[in-house]
Amino acid sequence: MGTSDGGFGRLLHTWRDRLDPADAGLPPGRRRRAPGLRREELAQLAGLSVDYVLRLEQGRARNPSAQVVGALARALQLSRAERDQLYRGAGLLPPRDGTVDTHVPPGVQRLVARLGDIPIGVFSADWTLVWWNGMWADLFGDPDSIPPDDRNLARALFRTGAAHTAVRSVHSERGDEAFAAAIVADLRDALSRYPADAELNRLIGELRAESEAFEAVWSTGTAATAHTSERKTIRHPEVGDILVDCDVLLVPGVDLRMVTYTAPAASDAASKLELLRVTGSHVG
């Protein structure tokens, strides 16, 4: 199956026109001749090229992948029903119930966008980063520069992919081994809730086969424990060490985790975070 009647492109254009740039966390710019997002803004939010978005809207690019459709649905802040409509418009089956959900509700996206002075990343149940704000990119590097598979925290911890460098810069007061064990326990808990999820099973199978450290922790059978606030030191290449409070907030009704990093007002860490916010310098 594939797109054939231009319906997918019309959906993209219609939903792009209705989304207020402020709700997407975009700064106010010059006067707009048309409402909604510009095509290049949608491309930026979805991690796609402007040319590809143009070809999708014009019906010249067909058969987008499920990964592309999911990224567009999140960028357009679609409801679950609209997301499913977009998948069908692309000739794809919508994500099944009983699988790890990567859909980020519009309200969560608006919250992340409007708390622009706080680094926030939104993760799915398998600890894949699915949404973030500009401050998150300033602190850890732009996730769009990392292959989508490497945006998974477990892969970043236990392998040597593109995201591993950013993870190595974060040190927990509880100890790095305790943090890694907590992520493995979370994956075990996710597997108990989503046993039929093919991608989750692929992730765990891959890590067990390729990482002795992961297999050693997995084989202990440790159950997941509730995340609590903890202090972490982030070693940023431009502003130095930043001591922050890390909180993991569960989103009611959807299996998502919002990870936030904050610092007390007037602290050295707060000054460094503000410097990153003002300069907007993503880690290379």
Side-chain angles (χ1 to χ4, degrees):
M1 273 194 308
T3 57
S4 59
D5 61 357
F8 183 83
R10 285 196 297 272
L11 288 173
L12 283 185
H13 201 159
T14 298
W15 287 331
R16 176 166 66 81
D17 282 348
R18 78 173 185 187
L19 182 58
D20 191 311
D23 286 336
L26 297 171
R30 62 185 183 275
R31 180 176 299 177
R32 295 173 181 264
R33 292 176 295 178
L37 295 182
R38 298 186 180 99
R39 192 175 289 116
E40 58 267 28
E41 291 170 336
L42 174 59
Q44 175 188 345
L45 291 169
L48 305 171
S49 72
V50 179
D51 178 67
Y52 185 50
V53 172
L54 174 62
R55 289 187 288 118
L56 285 172
E57 288 193 352
Q58 294 179 341
R60 294 187 291 115
R62 299 178 181 274
N63 305 314
S65 68
Q67 189 175 76
V68 165
V69 177
L72 287 166
R74 289 190 292 271
L76 290 164
Q77 300 189 9
L78 302 184
S79 68
R80 194 173 299 275
E82 290 168 340
R83 177 206 66 178
D84 291 353
Q85 184 180 355
L86 192 65
Y87 270 87
R88 294 188 186 100
L92 299 169
L93 292 175
R96 295 184 299 123
D97 291 338
T99 58
V100 173
D101 198 350
T102 61
H103 180 67
V104 183
V108 173
Q109 294 191 40
R110 288 191 292 269
L111 177 65
V112 172
R114 291 174 185 177
L115 294 176
D117 59 340
I118 298 174
I120 302 177
V122 182
F123 292 81
S124 57
D126 64 354
W127 281 106
T128 295
L129 181 65
V130 293
W131 202 250
W132 59 90
N133 61 8
M135 272 298 294
W136 183 275
D138 292 335
L139 192 59
F140 296 112
D142 188 355
D144 277 332
S145 67
I146 299 172
D149 275 356
D150 284 344
R151 295 175 199 163
N152 179 273
L153 183 53
R155 279 196 180 97
L157 280 170
F158 292 99
R159 298 187 63 187
T160 56
H164 186 65
T165 300
V167 172
R168 283 190 308 172
S169 70
V170 182
H171 298 277
S172 169
E173 284 193 346
R174 292 192 301 154
D176 297 339
E177 290 184 0
F179 174 64
I183 297 302
V184 176
D186 277 346
L187 288 185
R188 181 182 297 281
D189 183 55
L191 185 62
S192 71
R193 290 179 283 117
Y194 306 104
D197 188 285
E199 286 300 309
L200 177 59
N201 278 278
R202 180 173 72 90
L203 169 66
I204 293 172
E206 165 195 308
L207 291 174
R208 294 190 69 182
E210 299 179 14
S211 170
E212 292 182 1
F214 182 91
E215 174 62 20
V217 180
W218 182 269
S219 62
T220 65
T222 303
T225 57
H227 286 278
T228 57
S229 178
E230 61 174 311
R231 306 205 82 188
K232 294 189 176 184
T233 299
I234 300 171
R235 292 179 175 167
H236 192 278
E238 295 178 10
V239 301
D241 287 0
I242 311 173
L243 181 61
V244 290
D245 291 313
C246 175
D247 290 278
V248 180
L249 312 175
L250 300 180
V251 183
V254 290
D255 205 351
L256 297 173
R257 291 141 182 78
M258 291 177 57
V259 178
T260 67
Y261 291 97
T262 61
S267 66
D268 177 67
S271 298
K272 290 178 178 178
L273 289 175
E274 177 64 12
L275 178 61
L276 289 178
R277 187 189 67 81
V278 172
T279 59
S281 56
H282 296 338
V283 180

